[in-house]
Amino acid sequence: MVLDMLATVPPATKGRRFHHKSRYGCAACKKRRRKCDERKPVCGNCAQRSVECSFKSLEPASRRISTIGNASRLVTMGVPAQVPSSGAVIPFCRNNTRDLELYCHFQIYTSVSMAHSAALLRLYREDIPNLSASFPFVGHGVLSVAYFHLASLSPHETSKKLLTESAFHINQALPSYLETIKNITPENSSAVFSFAMFVVLFTFANASEETTAVLHTARAPPRTRETTIQCLSITAARVARSIQNIFLIFARTQQWISSSPVSLVAQQIVDPTLNESTMQWMHVEDEHLAKLSQLWKDDSVLHLKDSCALSRALACLRDTFRMVTQLTVLPAENIAEGQPNTSTNDLSSIHKQLCAGHLYDAPSVFLWYIQLSPDFIDLLEEGNAYAMVVLAHYAIVLNRACFEKWWIFRLAHRFVATAEVILGEEKRTWIEWPLMVVAT
């Protein structure tokens, strides 16, 4: 069963200088690193630039709907939001809660934040909600995602309550879902895959919250270093198993969903491309990744089975780096900037330039997880130092691919912080690259 959300205040960044930026600014201002005046429902910067302000989604549904007229006609990319009428009865929405409001939130805001095309938006606004009429566990999945989307836009105290509601809906759905996957059919395959996707998204949010809580209390007297390592390691392994599970579900349902709308989330959108810059970047990064294997090859105590699992995970990670680089669509000005040299300092520049691109095929960054052996995931769960080094370097490409994705909940940063705690000061140099480009 899904663990309850851990409620704790996140730690302040050590040594961070005082600044005058607003703590609870809107998403657009944070992205642009501009001070937000926090005016609601639309801050001054967003109003001036005529862009969508994330504060708009924090209003109660009734107020939002009244400000846009007939919300059922709200159209984005030609796809209308299917907002239920006032007083509508939806089986998976509880009375006297915010469930109906959050269902509207998913339709109007969450769907847009997860779609980069009209076809994907139609999937989230029409196809998946339609599935929930026959499979209520899908509806609970929709509400779970809506709650933690709103949590990502909210101050911490509000966010904790919203994440608890998200966990409630996942837990409500699991018994029915687990019963359904015992007999997957053409009729329920799309519902099964859709909910499995929602579980993975919830796992990201839950893992990030739990890791933050453990890191924050790591120095508290009751908590020993062994307990801290155990908690962090178990969370990292759980993310790996959750992602492997959705690919197993995809394999079981692929023959039926390949011609259905839900297949859109797994389709390759752009063809791999290479130019002189990206080829050079790939070479520089691959050289650094290849050197990591020397860490465990020099360890005479390490079992051969574990060494093979680590080397296999690293080889898959190198493949993932190359694939994500080829699938990243770069702005034209980045391609024309010339070649980086091969010094260590340029790893930061390469990462920055690739972060400026866009990975339309976000699922491709998770293919690394599919190829992980059970032995490697066991090493993660045990808090093995070498496995944590590999995980920290995976965080680089995860951060790059999902830099602006709210649903990743800064998980890449949590992975690097986990590795830093487990490795300790004496082995900190093993993850110098991830600390340089992700933890900053």
Side-chain angles (χ1 to χ4, degrees):
M1 193 59 64
V2 178
L3 298 176
D4 292 331
M5 308 302 293
L6 291 176
T8 187
V9 179
T13 304
K14 184 177 180 181
R16 187 172 181 175
R17 293 178 295 176
F18 176 79
H19 62 82
H20 295 280
K21 294 180 181 178
S22 57
R23 176 178 291 184
Y24 301 127
C26 75
C29 288
K30 286 182 178 179
K31 178 181 175 181
R32 298 178 65 236
R33 298 184 178 180
R34 298 289 186 269
K35 183 176 180 179
C36 181
D37 60 16
E38 301 183 29
R39 187 186 307 159
K40 297 178 180 64
V42 178
C43 78
N45 289 336
C46 289
Q48 185 176 7
R49 297 174 61 234
S50 298
V51 299
E52 182 72 20
C53 184
S54 62
F55 287 152
K56 194 80 173 169
S57 61
L58 299 178
E59 293 184 282
S62 58
R63 193 185 311 159
R64 292 202 305 270
I65 291 173
S66 66
T67 59
I68 61 175
N70 185 350
S72 63
R73 292 204 303 255
L74 187 97
V75 176
T76 305
M77 290 188 278
V79 183
Q82 308 296 316
V83 177
S85 59
S86 178
V89 177
I90 300 178
F92 46 83
C93 290
R94 299 162 293 168
N95 294 327
N96 303 317
T97 68
R98 298 181 66 180
D99 286 358
L100 184 58
E101 174 193 339
L102 268 292
Y103 186 76
C104 296
H105 177 92
F106 183 91
Q107 279 283 333
I108 300 172
Y109 297 105
T110 309
S111 58
V112 176
S113 72
M114 296 172 67
H116 53 72
S117 67
L120 267 177
L121 185 58
R122 187 169 291 106
L123 170 67
Y124 294 124
R125 282 189 166 180
E126 297 178 6
D127 300 309
I128 288 180
N130 288 342
L131 285 171
S132 66
S134 301
F135 303 95
F137 63 80
V138 176
H140 284 293
V142 166
L143 286 175
S144 176
V145 173
Y147 270 109
F148 73 69
H149 177 222
L150 189 56
S152 73
L153 303 170
S154 304
H156 183 70
E157 288 304 313
T158 304
S159 174
K160 288 192 297 183
K161 298 175 183 178
L162 294 168
L163 288 170
T164 300
E165 291 296 309
S166 178
F168 168 83
H169 281 285
I170 286 290
N171 281 319
Q172 285 293 109
L174 279 176
S176 177
Y177 168 74
L178 293 174
E179 187 63 31
T180 302
I181 62 174
K182 293 178 181 177
N183 181 30
I184 300 178
T185 65
E187 291 73 28
N188 64 27
S189 57
S190 291
V192 165
F193 181 76
S194 298
F195 183 75
M197 177 178 64
F198 292 151
V199 170
V200 170
L201 296 181
F202 174 79
T203 301
F204 293 157
N206 192 29
S208 183
E209 183 77 3
E210 288 187 358
T211 302
T212 300
V214 174
L215 291 171
H216 181 51
T217 59
R219 295 181 176 86
R223 186 181 290 275
T224 64
R225 174 173 169 79
E226 290 73 20
T227 302
T228 298
I229 290 175
Q230 182 182 39
C231 292
L232 294 174
S233 303
I234 289 173
T235 300
R238 190 170 71 247
V239 172
R241 293 191 176 105
S242 177
I243 294 175
Q244 286 196 341
N245 283 341
I246 191 175
F247 281 104
L248 289 174
I249 292 294
F250 179 72
R252 292 178 61 188
T253 60
Q254 187 176 12
Q255 59 179 316
W256 298 307
I257 70 169
S258 58
S259 57
S260 74
V262 297
S263 65
L264 290 169
V265 299
Q267 286 180 359
Q268 182 173 301
I269 308 299
V270 297
D271 293 326
T273 57
L274 277 176
N275 55 57
E276 289 188 24
S277 291
T278 52
M279 288 178 65
Q280 178 71 0
W281 296 342
M282 285 168 53
H283 176 72
V284 172
E285 293 191 324
D286 193 62
E287 276 192 335
H288 282 79
L289 289 171
K291 293 175 184 177
L292 296 178
S293 63
Q294 205 57 47
L295 293 174
W296 52 84
K297 287 180 179 178
D298 291 339
D299 189 340
S300 58
V301 180
L302 187 69
H303 293 157
L304 178 61
K305 179 188 74 169
D306 294 339
S307 179
C308 291
L310 290 162
S311 295
R312 173 61 181 161
L314 179 60
C316 295
L317 181 58
R318 293 169 67 184
D319 289 342
T320 301
F321 263 79
R322 288 190 287 264
M323 177 177 59
V324 169
T325 298
Q326 292 178 65
L327 291 173
T328 299
V329 179
L330 295 171
E333 59 269 21
N334 286 54
I335 298 174
E337 281 184 359
Q339 307 301 321
N341 61 48
T342 56
S343 69
T344 302
N345 291 335
D346 270 327
L347 290 169
S348 179
S349 174
I350 292 170
H351 183 73
K352 182 178 179 181
Q353 292 183 75
L354 286 170
C355 279
H358 187 84
L359 181 68
Y360 291 97
D361 298 284
S364 62
V365 76
F366 301 111
L367 293 178
W368 176 67
Y369 278 107
I370 315 181
Q371 304 170 77
L372 294 181
S373 67
D375 289 336
F376 179 81
I377 297 178
D378 287 344
L379 289 172
L380 272 184
E381 194 165 39
E382 294 164 6
N384 177 273
Y386 304 127
M388 289 298 159
V389 170
V390 178
L391 179 67
H393 284 80
Y394 170 70
I396 296 172
V397 72
L398 178 64
N399 174 252
R400 182 180 301 167
C402 303
F403 182 65
E404 296 181 340
K405 302 288 192 299
W406 62 267
W407 43 262
I408 206 65
F409 268 77
R410 292 176 62 83
L411 198 57
H413 298 75
R414 307 294 183 256
F415 284 159
V416 175
T418 292
E420 185 179 17
V421 168
I422 291 175
L423 292 173
E425 191 63 35
E426 66 278 7
K427 298 173 182 173
R428 198 173 186 271
T429 55
W430 292 4
I431 55 170
E432 185 178 4
W433 180 13
L435 285 170
M436 176 175 60
V437 300
V438 177
T440 54

